[in-house]
Amino acid sequence: MSPYPKLLLTATPLQNSLLELYGLVSLIDEKVFGDVASFREQYSNLNNPAVFQNLKGRLAPLCHRTLRKQVTQYVNYTRRHVLVEEFTPHRDEQTLYDQVSEFLQRDTLASLPNSQRTLITLILRKLLASSSYAIAGALGSIRDRVQKELKRGTPGSLEDDLAEDYEALDETAEEWPDEQEPLTEAQRALMTEEVAELDSLLARAQNIRQNAKGEALLHGLQRAFEAAARQGAQRKGIIFTESRKTQDYLLELLEDNGYAGKVVLFNGTNNDERSKKIYQQWLASNKGTDKVSGSKTADMRSALVEEFRDRAEIMIATEAGAEGINLQFCALVVNYDLPWNPQRIEQRIGRSHRYGQKHDVVVLNFLNKGNEADQRVYELLSEKFKLFEGVFGSSDEVIGAIGSGVDFEKRVADIYQKCRTPQEIKAAFDALQASLSEEISDAMTRTRAQLLENFDEEVREKLKVRQAGTQEQLGRFTRLLMNLTQTELGDRASFTSERRFTLHQPPRDDVAAGQYAIPTRDEKLREDTGEATEHRYRLGHPLAQHLVEQAKTRDLSVVQHLHFDYAAHMAAGKGQIGALRDRVGEEGWLTLSLYTVTSLGQTEEHLLWSAFTDDGDVIDADIAQKFFEVQASVEHTDLAPPTALNDLQDTARNQRKEAINTRNLKAFEDAAARIDAWSEDLKVGLERDIKELDRLIKEARRAATTAPTLQAKLDGQRQVQELEKKRTQKRRSLFDEQDRIDEKRQELIDQLAGKLEEEESLRPLFTVRWSLK
């Protein structure tokens, strides 16, 4: 939430985004902006290129935002595939729907308090579309509440009673504020009559034993599991419903139709016996480990997710499962009940369709062919908001453009409530779609893109240019680590591939024998989901750290002659190294030093490679490193390195030092510019406070002049005097604050300048005579 909610009440959508961005950034670094009001004044017109570039420059060091769709050409994201299961309600279900709908559409309805009618009507319609069990529970809750009100003689709240039927009630109620209006006498008089109608509707709902949508679920699950299996995905599916009563119904339905013992529930309390048993078993199996957090709520969630991952096939979740859990191992999302809020749908699908998902995600939705309004809502959610197809995150831009999903939900609820004929429904949804088309316009998209996406244009370009280079560096780093490991372990390990080896004799007590591997992306995911069987080998592993330290302590001061065998490298099928191929048959000298420099409060290390041939041809540092990707034999030499090698090393150090100084100079200039902008913002804020006091003084004087009584005039004059006193104090403090700000600015610059003082050292690591054959 923004730290400036009052300002956001009157801001435009663009200013809302800016202020939210300011609130976030100001928490990271107070030197970016000094005052939100002056910031808003400066950047109210982003259509001005100069204004926008200034904003971009101030945010660039701290804020980068890249949509997933912008990097799909560099990162392999999975997609969504939608399946629609159509159904037609049974006759008794349609009759119940029509009767409840007619009841809710009455102009006067005493059973629902005026202050809550809009919200409760929305909930009842959602429960009506969920299942007969869900609506039966809600109708019973309303009837019981009305009977209590008749006895008590005062209206009450339905929220506590409906919370069991509609779990997301508390959150929805916060999003749907209503003006409090007392019940009229006429509404109270209708209560007794409506209790009888509620009894009749409740009885009809309780007599329904077959739900057409439930039957469609069984068929749809079979289709969806088959679609997921074709991609190699596990037989795992999460079913979302908005009602706990429907959750219980679906559990019984699935258990009776081939899924007995394969279903786990997930809701806001999970106080059922099945969940409690899973929780206790999880606690016992993880006793004494760091998996147990001590929070029952968090541990219950972990236990249920693990049960779903390791044993169950289906999780039935209420809205409690739409946030805070990661289900990358599940590639099927079933929207048994479809929220009207697009953001809630995106949250649901995002549980499975997120980074780490190895398969395309199948999304199963249900469409009531007997309800014109339901069909149009699905059409908007699917075609206009593009929620169910494409790569995950593809709907970011569209959902963001319309602003709050609650507003869309309210507009849909208004259509359900006011329209009675198919023609009215069609006309209303046509109008809604037309207005949405305007909101999701190119102009809005461009504005949002200008504000948020253009900040990281350079980042995306670097991703594009360096994709191949990054993969090459990763492969080279892996080879270097494994080469060092193989050299240092010797016969204490056997190597089966470039990424795997078996450790037979551990060099330390804290290192276990067994299979080790540098994991690929898929292997990392298997480890994250509990499926890995090998030790994950990396530079931070204790074994690797031990071997690196062991290698670093080896004495390399004696000059040796290294005979690099490029022919053997090629014969082993390891691929050509073009930079070396052209130098086969040459000899020369090579040295490596460790250059350490401390500046800006940070210490960094650089390897300086220097090499040349006997003919005096200087070899680039990148090429010099590649020599060590080829096997070599070692021979003692009595030759002394030429002095030209030291000169070449000094040149390399000076070039590196110059590059660091250039980078630090830019860092200093950027920091100084941010400090200047910060201090200017604070000064503007003080000046604005004085202007506001000037305005208040004028108003107070005007009020005192027109006061009807002597006492009122005296009070007005006292108020004027108090305000003038504050203005005088503020003017004095302005100069004091300006001095303080300038002192602070100088202090920060002095600190930064002090950090620019460099300390450097150059430590030779080894010098070799080389030849390449």
Side-chain angles (χ1 to χ4, degrees), residues 17 43 127 338 675 677:
S17 299
Y43 300 109
L127 296 176
L338 195 62
I675 294 172

Side-chain angles (χ1 to χ4, degrees), residues 142-254:
I142 293 174
R143 180 202 59 186
D144 295 343
R145 170 58 65 183
V146 172
Q147 289 176 335
K148 291 178 183 177
E149 289 177 357
L150 287 172
K151 292 180 181 180
R152 192 171 58 244
T154 57
S157 171
L158 284 167
E159 293 183 15
D160 293 338
D161 300 310
L162 287 181
E164 180 67 23
D165 304 299
Y166 187 79
E167 190 174 78
L169 178 63
D170 290 341
E171 183 178 352
T172 305
E174 291 177 1
E175 296 173 343
W176 280 64
D178 278 316
E179 296 296 330
Q180 297 294 322
E181 298 179 5
L183 294 173
T184 64
E185 291 298 329
Q187 286 173 319
R188 293 193 179 94
L190 289 174
M191 283 186 174
T192 303
E193 179 183 339
E194 290 179 3
V195 166
E197 293 184 73
L198 289 169
D199 277 330
S200 175
L201 293 173
L202 176 59
R204 179 175 290 278
Q206 291 174 335
N207 287 333
I208 295 176
R209 287 292 175 262
Q210 286 184 304
N211 277 237
K213 187 160 71 165
E215 297 166 357
L217 172 65
L218 298 175
H219 181 261
L221 273 178
Q222 182 178 354
R223 288 176 58 208
F225 275 136
E226 290 174 354
R230 285 193 291 270
Q231 305 175 61
Q234 299 184 69
R235 189 178 174 85
K236 304 284 183 182
I238 180 168
I239 302 174
F240 282 103
T241 176
E242 295 186 300
S243 165
R244 288 194 198 175
K245 293 288 198 316
T246 299
Q247 187 183 48
D248 294 337
Y249 157 66
L250 293 179
L251 173 63
E252 182 179 353
L253 175 70
L254 293 172

Side-chain angles (χ1 to χ4, degrees), residues 631-676:
Q631 291 182 352
S633 59
V634 182
E635 178 186 355
H636 177 69
T637 180
D638 293 326
L639 295 177
T643 57
L645 195 59
N646 293 331
D647 296 337
L648 191 60
Q649 188 79 159
D650 290 339
T651 300
R653 178 182 62 180
N654 293 334
Q655 289 175 344
R656 177 62 62 180
K657 182 176 181 179
E658 183 178 352
I660 292 174
N661 287 338
T662 300
R663 184 197 64 196
N664 289 344
L665 177 60
K666 186 177 186 309
F668 176 85
E669 292 173 345
D670 291 343
R674 287 198 300 271
I675 294 172
D676 286 338

Side-chain angles (χ1 to χ4, degrees), residues 3-4 20-36 39 57-63 667-668 670-679 681-682 744 748 751-752 755:
Y4 305 102
E20 290 287 355
L21 197 56
Y22 168 79
L24 172 64
V25 173
S26 63
L27 293 176
I28 302 172
D29 188 346
E30 66 175 5
K31 300 178 189 65
V32 176
F33 300 117
D35 181 86
V36 66
F39 155 75
R58 295 182 72 175
L59 285 176
L62 296 172
C63 181
F668 176 85
D670 291 343
R674 287 198 300 271
I675 294 172
D676 286 338
W678 168 70
S679 61
D681 287 341
L682 290 179
K744 180 66 175 176
L748 292 172
Q751 291 176 357
L752 189 58
K755 292 180 180 179

